[in-house]
Structures are given as structure tokens and as C-alpha cells.
Amino acid sequence: MGLFGNAHSIDQASAQRDYARLLGQGEQVHAAYLLIRDTILFTDRRLVLVDKQGITGKKVEYHSVPYRSITHFSVETAGHFDLDAELKIWISGSSAPIEKTFTKGVDIYEVQAILTQFVAR
């Protein structure tokens, strides 16, 4: 499903290993999703958006969003004809949300629960 631009879940342990250099001491990955070449990490401290750029993907932008910066978020579940779910996250100081699309196989309620757990602290 990655070819269609929709995110799907990846193993937490693999994400923890693959992105260990990005994580602070003791920081744990709670969930990770792959979107073609990009990755979304939900850690116990922040949301990390990994954006591979260019044809080769050697240039990478790591966008770190502390949960305290998230003002609100929304999830839209998949329907019968619309096979993907959507996540929108608004960051303080920005009027446009960060938008990500997930396959129907991803439990969007799990994504929402992770955000609720960390944003509502």
C-alpha cells in the first residue's frame, strides 16, 4: 500500500533500532508508520516526521514536534469507498495542519489514543 501514498504500521523494535541516533537517552518509540520513504514516529516525548527528499532519498529532514506544541488534532476514519484514514495535527504558531494518510489496515483509533496519551499530559 506504500505505493499509493498511504502509511502503514512498522515494527516498534525495528523503528527503535533504525532511528536510535535520533532518540534522546531513554526515549522510546511507541508506534511507527511508513509512508513510501517517509516515516512517522510517535515516541514517549515527541512526534518525529522523517522526510526523505530527492530521487535517492539521501537527503533527509527530521521534523521534531514536542507534544506540548500540538494544539489539537483530528482523525477521520476510513469508509466503505474511501479506503484510507486521515490524521491532521495543528501545531501552535501554524495555521495549516500537518496531514498524514493511513491505510485502512492501520487502526486510526490507536493513533488517536497515542496522541491523546501524550498531548493531554
Side-chain angles (χ1 to χ4, degrees):
M1 291 301 286
L3 295 176
F4 296 108
N6 294 333
H8 63 276
S9 61
I10 57 176
D11 180 58
Q12 286 175 245
S14 296
Q16 187 78 33
R17 267 191 321 275
D18 294 346
Y19 294 100
R21 293 177 55 188
L22 290 178
L23 303 174
Q25 186 175 2
E27 186 173 11
Q28 296 294 310
V29 174
H30 282 261
Y33 300 91
L34 183 65
L35 175 60
I36 303 178
R37 298 185 307 169
D38 299 341
T39 305
I40 305 165
L41 302 174
F42 293 91
T43 78
D44 56 344
R45 300 179 188 170
R46 60 198 167 124
L47 173 67
V48 181
L49 305 170
V50 181
D51 179 17
K52 292 188 178 180
Q53 301 173 357
I55 295 171
T56 63
K58 289 189 179 200
K59 182 177 179 181
V60 182
E61 177 182 20
Y62 301 98
H63 189 129
S64 181
V65 180
Y67 292 120
R68 69 180 177 276
S69 298
I70 298 173
T71 59
H72 64 285
F73 59 90
S74 68
V75 293
E76 182 179 303
T77 61
H80 291 292
F81 299 108
D82 182 16
L83 299 178
D84 52 357
E86 295 178 8
L87 169 67
K88 293 180 184 176
I89 300 172
W90 284 265
I91 308 299
S92 60
S94 179
S95 60
I98 295 170
E99 297 183 48
K100 297 296 176 184
T101 303
F102 296 81
T103 63
K104 192 170 184 176
V106 170
D107 184 356
I108 195 69
Y109 295 105
E110 176 183 293
V111 174
Q112 187 270 339
I114 291 167
L115 278 170
T116 298
Q117 177 183 353
F118 295 118
V119 172
R121 286 184 176 179

